[in-house]
Each structure stands twice: as structure tokens, then as C-alpha cells.
Amino acid sequence: MRLRALGLICGLIAAVSVTNTGCARVFACGDEGDRPAGLIRQDMVGTYRADPFGTLTLKSDGTFEVSDWPEFDYPKNPKHTGRAAGTWTLQPERKTRGTRDDLKLSFTGNRYWDSDFSEWRDHFSFDVTGNRQKPRLYRFTTDPDVCELHTFRHG
């Protein structure tokens, strides 16, 4: 009886600490869905538009161009950061939710400010959802606890 009560108390403490730190919200937020089965590099080629602004063009030669690029760390009032270019890669498929980073952009020259880490970065990653004909790129605005996404739609 004493052991059972101790186990119950320990479980209750763990549950309260998870919900108070915000860790439970990560799982409640979810994501935009699974990566399309059989997705290949050629499926990703095209122009993607974000809301409220931003355009990304992925080219078949592995390069990309962005215009009116948003600064993603400001979900309520994103800032315009301008144009950039570089190379892109479609990463091997990963099954773990929230850690996929399916599409990686590597900037040439221009970099973006990452306020989460207080440093300049030369790469950026998105998860991919949707289907092979109309893939959708997304990432959390800041910490996944915020439950807000930046999404780029194909076409």
C-alpha cells in the first residue's frame, strides 16, 4: 500500500512538472501532417508562397531564390528581410515527428538572424506535408510551444 502511494505521488509530481514547463503543449500542437510517401526531389521543384508574405522558388538544378523573405522569429508581426539565394536539398525521410527537417536551404552570401540562438545562420529547414503534386512547407514560428506555423504553399 505504501509503495503504491509513493508511486502515485511520483507520477503526480512528474505530470504537474511537464504541464507547468510547457512540454505537454508540444504534443498538443501537433504538426501539419506526414511527409508524402515516395516524395522525391523533382516533386519539390516550383514556387511556394507564404502567408502573409514571402516567395521561395526551388529550381531543378538544386538552387533556390527567395524574395520578400520573412523573419520567422516574429510570429505576430514578421519582418521583411529581403532577397537571398543558395542551394537546397531534400533530406532522407525520417519517421520521428517534429524532427524531420525534410527540406534544407543553405544560403549563399546572405544569412538570416536567428533570435532563438542570438546568432546569424546560413541554413534553414522546413518539414514537408501535403502530397507529391502540391507539397507544403512548414516550420514552427519560434518554440513549438507557441503552436504557430509558417507555411509555404506550392503554386
Side-chain angles (χ1 to χ4, degrees):
M1 181 70 167
R2 222 182 217 183
L3 197 53
R4 184 177 291 165
L6 181 60
L8 182 61
I9 290 170
C10 289
L12 184 60
I13 290 169
V16 168
S17 68
V18 166
T19 56
N20 284 340
T21 62
C23 294
R25 290 186 60 204
V26 172
F27 303 109
C29 291
D31 56 23
E32 288 286 272
D34 293 330
R35 177 176 170 163
L39 186 71
I40 60 173
R41 182 182 169 96
Q42 192 59 35
D43 296 333
M44 300 303 301
V45 172
T47 299
Y48 297 78
R49 291 183 180 29
D51 181 28
F53 56 86
T55 301
L56 166 65
T57 301
L58 301 176
K59 300 177 183 179
S60 60
D61 67 357
T63 62
F64 73 86
E65 292 179 356
V66 296
S67 59
D68 203 16
W69 190 248
E71 186 170 345
F72 289 96
D73 293 330
Y74 295 91
K76 297 293 184 202
N77 188 20
K79 298 177 181 181
H80 300 259
T81 62
R83 304 177 78 77
T87 59
W88 67 276
T89 55
L90 181 63
Q91 303 293 2
E93 187 172 359
R94 298 179 190 155
K95 300 295 182 184
T96 308
R97 287 187 180 265
T99 60
R100 296 192 322 244
D101 293 334
D102 297 315
L103 182 83
K104 182 178 178 183
L105 304 179
S106 297
F107 291 91
T108 305
N110 289 4
R111 297 180 298 166
Y112 74 94
W113 178 251
D114 187 336
S115 64
D116 284 346
F117 296 99
S118 297
E119 66 184 14
W120 290 96
R121 299 274 181 147
D122 64 355
H123 63 278
F124 204 78
S125 295
F126 289 96
D127 285 344
V128 179
T129 189
N131 59 51
R132 289 182 62 188
Q133 293 74 35
K134 287 219 174 250
R136 211 167 52 248
L137 310 176
Y138 72 95
R139 67 176 284 123
F140 286 100
T141 54
T142 55
D143 188 318
D145 288 346
V146 174
C147 294
E148 291 187 35
L149 299 169
H150 284 292
T151 303
F152 279 76
R153 298 182 188 289
H154 191 268

